[in-house]
Amino acid sequence: MAGRRRNGGALLIAAFLVGGLAGATPSVAGGLAVNEVASGVFVHRGVHELASADNAGDIANIGFIVGEQAVAVIDAGGSPRVGAALREAVRRVTKLPIRYLILTHGHPDHIFGWSAFATDGPQIVGHNKLPRALALRGGHYVRNFSRILGDGAGALKLPTINLTVSDRLELDLGGRILVVRAHAIAHSDSDLSVYDSRTGTLWLSDLLFRERIPVVDGSIKGWLTVMGEVAAIGAERVVPGHGSVSDDWPGAQAGQHRYLEVIAREIRIVLNANGTIESAVATVGEVERPHWHLFDEYNKRNVTASFVELEWE
């Protein structure tokens, strides 16, 4: 692989973004910082912010894995501008073809950079439920993110998924097999995980949030179940969708598990007392406030979604 400059095990692509790995708003125009967390596994860490014109939607962890014959990109970021910076990061590491673009689910901060890779002609991999999810919500995502990001992030388009996963799929990068798994409804209804058997790296994307509050857009009960299932994978490290990469597996799930259990338990207490959704939204989860970035932006939404699910138990 060409173009490497090592610094304490990290590979920094183009100009190092001050705070790019530590949480400050990056300038994707100056280059995208990526960290080589295991041999051939590169992660860019998104900032703990809401998407905005200033950060160009660079709020999710994205990256790529390099084999002997090809590259797989895992999520493309929240805008064409971020996607282009990620593609440039790939090209500074290797000239191997980008064979796969894996979209781990359909949320805007993970998908809208896809168009920067169109000229590479990768197979775009997604959960078998992702095409339907994009058909139902994609128009809203385009309109809303276009308004939030403005013209500077690039024109937003929806991807076409041409390789779907209903259970388990192996992708061969040459001397490196990626195991892509489709999960039942959890964070969303179309979550994928990616396991690199060569390094024991488990890329969970938004099945795992660290430091930034989890977002329930699928099923709180389903998510807790899936967390138990992925805990059985014998990974050496885990890449979350938001927050820091961890070598503590499955311990890295502890904070998220605690939060989701608190939400479910406290909602059930409200329901058992014949309380209303309004009372739940006002009180549930407050004990978790000190532990999470963006708590005020998402906790009430999580409680609302989970209340509607749990009241029909």
Side-chain angles (χ1 to χ4, degrees):
M1 292 183 288
R4 294 193 177 188
R5 177 169 61 85
R6 295 192 176 275
N7 181 4
L11 173 65
L12 301 186
I13 300 302
F16 183 85
L17 307 178
V18 177
L21 299 177
T25 303
S27 170
V28 270
L32 204 69
V34 297
N35 187 25
E36 188 173 19
V37 301
S39 179
V41 180
F42 300 87
V43 179
H44 169 69
R45 182 173 167 184
V47 295
H48 291 320
E49 301 172 1
L50 297 177
S52 68
D54 288 339
N55 60 39
D58 183 22
I59 62 174
N61 293 348
I62 57 179
F64 55 97
I65 299 177
V66 181
E68 295 173 8
Q69 299 173 359
V71 178
V73 172
I74 305 179
D75 288 331
S79 70
R81 180 179 165 194
V82 174
L86 178 60
R87 185 181 183 278
E88 176 63 19
V90 175
R91 286 293 165 243
R92 289 179 181 271
V93 172
T94 179
K95 302 304 181 184
L96 289 172
I98 299 171
R99 185 177 294 168
Y100 303 105
L101 170 56
I102 303 168
L103 300 180
T104 61
H105 61 296
H107 288 158
D109 52 325
H110 294 259
I111 67 168
F112 277 134
W114 79 272
S115 58
F117 297 91
T119 57
D120 298 290
Q123 288 193 283
I124 302 180
V125 183
H127 196 288
N128 69 333
K129 293 183 179 179
L130 182 56
R132 181 175 183 273
L134 292 177
L136 290 173
R137 292 187 176 185
H140 168 72
Y141 289 160
V142 169
R143 291 188 297 272
N144 193 45
F145 246 51
S146 294
R147 176 184 57 80
I148 290 171
L149 301 183
D151 295 337
L156 305 187
K157 302 176 184 178
L158 292 174
T160 298
I161 310 304
N162 51 35
L163 181 57
T164 61
V165 187
S166 58
D167 180 22
R168 183 180 186 274
L169 177 68
E170 292 189 356
L171 303 178
D172 188 355
L173 301 182
R176 184 172 224 135
I177 300 295
L178 305 184
V179 179
V180 184
R181 291 182 174 87
H183 298 278
I185 185 169
H187 162 68
S188 75
D189 69 350
S190 51
D191 297 306
L192 295 180
S193 64
V194 182
Y195 180 68
D196 172 35
S197 54
R198 184 169 176 176
T199 63
T201 301
L202 176 60
W203 202 304
L204 282 183
S205 189
D206 280 11
L207 286 171
L208 178 61
F209 285 66
R210 305 189 72 227
E211 297 112 35
R212 176 182 171 132
I213 190 170
V215 177
V216 181
D217 189 36
S219 163
I220 191 170
K221 293 169 66 177
W223 201 348
L224 286 164
T225 297
V226 168
M227 287 179 65
E229 294 169 355
V230 298
I233 299 173
E236 295 185 26
R237 71 192 53 78
V238 63
V239 181
H242 299 269
S244 54
V245 175
S246 176
D247 294 331
D248 178 16
W249 181 253
Q253 293 194 115
Q256 177 173 281
H257 188 272
R258 184 194 64 242
Y259 173 77
L260 296 177
E261 287 282 15
V262 165
I263 298 301
R265 181 176 66 252
E266 293 187 356
I267 286 174
R268 289 182 174 117
I269 290 172
V270 173
L271 288 168
N272 289 337
N274 295 317
T276 65
I277 192 170
E278 291 79 11
S279 63
V281 167
T283 60
V284 168
E286 283 298 317
V287 67
E288 285 290 308
R289 178 182 292 277
H291 301 294
W292 301 104
H293 293 282
L294 302 180
F295 181 89
D296 286 332
E297 287 78 5
Y298 287 103
N299 185 66
K300 294 184 189 313
R301 172 182 170 175
N302 290 339
V303 174
T304 299
S306 300
F307 188 99
V308 172
E309 176 185 356
L310 295 175
E311 69 176 336
W312 296 105
E313 284 186 313

